[in-house]
Amino acid sequence: MSSTSGSSKQKLIIFDTTLRDGEQSPGVTLNTEEKIEIARQLSRLGVDIIEAGFPVASPGDFNAVQRIAREVGPLMEGRDGLQPMVICGLARSVKKDIQTAYDAIKDAPRHRIHVFLATSDIHLEHKLKITREECKARIGEMVGFAKSLCDDIEFSPEDAGRSDPAFLCEALAVAIEAGATTLNIPDTVGYTTPREYGSLIEHLCRNTKGADKAVFSTHCHNDLGLATANTLAGISNGARQVEVTINGIGERAGNTSLEEVVMNVHTHPETYPVYHTINTRLFYSTSRMVEDLSGMMVQANKAIVGRNAFLHESGIHQDGVLKNKQTYEIIRPEDVGVTTGNLALGKHSGRHAFKTKLEELGYGGAALSDAQFQAAFAKFKDLADSKKTGVTDGDMHALVADVRSSSMAGGASQSVTPAPAATEELVGNNDEPVSAEDSAARYTLKHMQVFTGVGVTPTATVTLHDAQQNTELIDVAVAKNGPIEATYSAIQRIVGIDIDLLNFSISATSSGQDTLGKVSVRIARAGGVDSPAAGQGEDSAALASYGSVPKFSGVAANVDIITASANAYLTAVNRLVSHDESNNRASHKQRNVEI
């Protein structure tokens, strides 16, 4: 649901950096298939440009960006009236970076190179150790080189918020002269206020030589909670592109939230001089996808997509909403994909009703592959047979999350069927084909028996199928702290890996004793997360669980919460094993670049 364009309004260009800056969130590790899945969803959402990654970081990062350019770049599903999405690669002001970025994105019908270089005195003196004149010379040379490869060039002066405005105008003028078509103004450390940032954008638009030849862009961080406010201030003062992420994910306190900016423009059409072309009805399903695949949970009171965003507990509020929703709701829930209907599917519902409900919830078209749809339908029928109250929208979201999470790891959950190997060829490094069989999950849960009770030592017997060895492995474990610990210990013994469980959460998807339990876990290889030194306390232990060590998430749903816990854990384990077996992506620390 896009906003209406007026004759005096200009289109707001949505530049999504979930797959690059968003993946720099502490502990987030997305594999290539997960990045492609998110990229497809962003294309359906109507995003104009995605920053697919930092190709020079490693062969694996290059491959992920290249596959997005080839497989997602041409897509037009859900983009009525729009062109294909621009695929962008990030590069430092180094020729090797720029060439590698171009090689990764050149196969997309529309592509962009994003070049950056710091311009604040503190960065020039202490990090780059160059003068202002040397900075301008490097900008001219590197932007010019990028322009020789690609017509669409974006330049970012890193730490623009703390740069001298007069020098910033000079540096941007050099970039424009060298061929930059977009000028991105980052508030790298989230330091500025809305008044300061808006004034900076206005100053640059008015005082940069050749400013009329380029689009000005915002890129704000949320360290002081002002990312969305600063971005909107930028729009009001001349910016026509915004760099954002789904759910506002990103390093430290995060980036500007895509859904917050778009819905501000959508809700206040007379306030901002722009319109958007985003399908806002896909916000909720897109938010859930990023949450499940990244392992970054959305806070319940998060604006637009939080679980409490449209709940009213105050009696006065409830009374008003029942009489007229507009008394306390400034956004219709359905406009962002939150359904309010009470119609639940049951065991007599067929494939057509199931498919229609998925479309209503934002999972229509190619949002799910045929294999994922079949797996979700099989899970739905099992759930419908066991529930007395019918399958709710919350249950449906959880089923989709389960299927997506397990299929991205190759199908850890028992009822998930991997996609047929003969129907698609996956492209690896050096254009060598990789069969779907090669990317299948190594371990599959075949059987599990748990014994627990009050005054009883919990035990778990687990049987896994090892696809690599084509054999079944069984082990038993005991635990002091309950059946889930015993189950996880048995899985660890089978796979032969010591694992740290960093996060474990469980939630009910609806009401009633027969509701689904949705389990989300995050793990890392034991020893990869540093233990705090003696005397540092629990706060240091919590901080140690973040950083550059790869973390792997898993999601599963089941009416039996122990089964859901086992499947979620096994999904994460399969991701860890797959990462170890084909670990050609750069570490989180190596991919981490500040803009």
Side-chain angles (χ1 to χ4, degrees):
M1 184 175 181
S2 60
S3 59
T4 303
S5 61
S7 57
S8 62
K9 290 181 179 288
Q10 294 177 292
K11 174 177 163 58
L12 180 64
I13 301 168
I14 304 298
F15 180 112
D16 184 278
T17 185
T18 300
L19 298 180
R20 203 278 302 168
D21 212 346
E23 200 194 8
Q24 291 181 192
S25 301
V28 173
T29 302
L30 297 171
N31 63 36
T32 299
E33 299 302 325
E34 291 163 344
K35 294 189 77 170
I36 292 173
E37 189 81 2
I38 292 173
R40 290 180 185 275
Q41 182 68 9
L42 293 174
S43 178
R44 286 188 287 268
L45 184 64
V47 165
D48 299 293
I49 307 161
I50 62 165
E51 193 166 46
F54 185 36
V56 81
S58 71
D61 289 273
F62 177 93
N63 182 56
V65 176
Q66 185 180 65
R67 285 193 56 193
I68 290 171
R70 291 176 174 177
E71 299 176 29
V72 182
L75 297 182
M76 286 298 296
E77 183 199 357
R79 302 185 65 83
D80 294 344
L82 302 177
Q83 294 179 284
M85 190 165 59
V86 175
I87 310 300
C88 177
L90 181 68
R92 296 168 298 183
S93 290
V94 177
K95 283 191 174 182
K96 179 182 177 182
D97 281 34
I98 295 168
Q99 183 67 57
T100 304
Y102 174 70
D103 290 341
I105 53 97
K106 65 182 180 181
D107 292 331
R110 304 175 69 217
H111 46 266
R112 170 183 293 188
I113 300 174
H114 182 186
V115 181
F116 71 95
L117 184 68
T119 54
S120 67
D121 288 332
I122 190 170
H123 278 253
L124 295 181
E125 179 182 354
H126 297 285
K127 186 178 76 172
L128 299 177
K129 301 186 185 303
I130 60 175
T131 66
R132 287 185 173 186
E133 290 304 313
E134 290 172 324
C135 174
K136 289 193 292 183
R138 187 179 297 182
I139 291 171
E141 181 185 3
M142 293 300 108
V143 171
F145 177 64
K147 190 69 172 182
S148 71
L149 303 173
C150 174
D151 287 335
D152 190 351
I153 305 298
E154 176 171 333
F155 174 72
S156 288
E158 182 188 351
D159 203 23
R162 295 191 296 176
S163 298
D164 173 46
F167 174 65
L168 197 53
C169 287
E170 295 176 18
L172 294 176
V174 170
I176 294 171
E177 181 67 23
T181 50
T182 300
L183 301 175
N184 180 48
I185 311 303
D187 181 20
T188 302
V189 292
Y191 176 75
T192 61
T193 66
R195 177 177 293 180
E196 292 169 340
Y197 190 76
S199 296
L200 176 61
I201 296 293
E202 182 183 31
H203 175 81
L204 296 176
C205 289
R206 287 186 174 182
N207 296 286
T208 299
K209 183 179 178 180
D212 58 320
K213 301 176 183 178
V215 173
F216 279 82
S217 172
T218 68
H219 183 111
C220 300
H221 286 263
N222 206 39
D223 297 71
L224 293 175
L226 295 173
T228 296
N230 284 344
T231 298
L232 294 170
I235 293 171
S236 296
N237 286 278
R240 292 298 176 262
Q241 175 181 289
V242 291
E243 300 202 354
V244 289
T245 64
I246 297 296
N247 299 335
I249 67 171
E251 59 185 323
R252 304 190 312 277
N255 290 58
T256 305
S257 166
L258 186 158
E259 59 274 8
E260 291 177 14
V261 171
V262 168
M263 290 312 296
N264 265 278
V265 172
H266 192 90
T267 307
H268 296 281
E270 304 304 321
T271 301
Y272 299 102
V274 294
Y275 67 94
H276 72 86
T277 54
I278 293 294
N279 182 357
T280 63
R281 294 180 184 273
L282 295 182
F283 272 151
Y284 192 76
S285 59
T286 305
S287 171
R288 295 285 82 77
M289 172 191 282
V290 172
E291 176 185 54
D292 294 330
L293 295 182
S294 70
M296 294 287 292
M297 297 297 105
V298 176
Q299 65 193 62
N301 63 335
K302 166 78 168 65
I304 314 302
V305 293
R307 288 164 178 78
N308 293 351
F310 298 99
L311 297 182
H312 305 274
E313 189 152 322
S314 163
I316 295 175
H317 285 206
Q318 289 176 343
D319 180 66
V321 169
L322 288 172
K323 292 175 179 176
N324 188 321
K325 289 185 176 182
Q326 292 183 346
T327 54
Y328 289 102
E329 286 185 355
I330 61 170
I331 300 170
R332 297 190 308 167
E334 54 268 30
D335 286 348
V336 295
V338 176
T339 56
T340 56
N342 294 319
L343 180 62
L345 299 178
K347 62 182 181 180
H348 298 297
S349 300
R351 291 177 187 272
H352 180 72
F354 178 71
K355 184 177 182 180
T356 300
K357 174 59 75 172
L358 286 178
E359 291 172 348
E360 179 186 333
L361 296 176
Y363 302 115
L368 296 177
S369 68
D370 288 342
Q372 289 174 330
F373 176 84
Q374 297 302 333
F377 184 70
K379 283 179 175 286
F380 158 73
K381 295 299 286 186
D382 289 342
L383 179 62
D385 283 339
S386 65
K387 287 196 71 174
K388 297 178 181 178
T389 55
V391 180
T392 66
D393 291 351
D395 295 332
M396 294 285 284
H397 282 297
L399 289 178
V400 171
D402 184 332
V403 167
R404 272 184 170 154
S405 181
S406 57
S407 65
M408 290 297 99
S413 294
Q414 289 171 299
S415 60
V416 176
T417 304
T423 61
E424 187 175 3
E425 203 173 56
L426 308 180
V427 179
N429 289 325
N430 302 318
D431 297 335
E432 289 294 331
V434 180
S435 69
E437 182 179 356
D438 293 332
S439 62
R442 178 169 178 178
Y443 298 106
T444 307
L445 181 63
K446 301 300 292 183
H447 182 267
M448 180 179 67
Q449 185 175 44
V450 175
F451 183 68
T452 189
V454 177
V456 175
T457 300
T459 63
T461 304
V462 175
T463 303
L464 301 182
H465 177 74
D466 184 343
Q468 191 175 88
Q469 303 296 330
N470 194 26
T471 187
E472 292 191 358
L473 306 171
I474 186 170
D475 212 324
V476 62
V478 298
K480 295 181 179 180
N481 299 311
I484 292 176
E485 182 188 14
T487 300
Y488 287 4
S489 296
I491 292 174
Q492 285 192 58
R493 288 164 63 94
I494 292 174
V495 302
I497 302 175
D498 289 332
I499 296 170
D500 285 329
L501 178 64
L502 304 178
N503 298 104
F504 176 94
S505 66
I506 183 168
S507 59
T509 60
S510 59
S511 60
Q513 293 181 341
D514 56 356
T515 185
L516 273 178
K518 179 183 176 183
V519 176
S520 301
V521 303
R522 184 185 289 184
I523 66 171
R525 183 179 285 274
V529 178
D530 296 333
S531 299
Q536 285 186 324
E538 293 183 1
D539 289 343
S540 296
L543 289 173
S545 69
Y546 295 95
S548 60
V549 178
K551 316 296 193 301
F552 305 92
S553 60
V555 177
N558 200 287
V559 290
D560 182 334
I561 61 173
I562 298 178
T563 299
S565 299
N567 277 330
Y569 191 74
L570 193 55
T571 294
V573 168
N574 276 315
R575 285 180 172 152
L576 185 155
V577 171
S578 174
H579 178 82
D580 286 348
E581 290 174 349
S582 57
N583 186 12
N584 61 353
R585 283 202 70 196
S587 70
H588 186 283
K589 186 175 182 180
Q590 290 170 309
R591 298 196 311 271
N592 192 337
V593 287
E594 298 263 2
I595 295 182

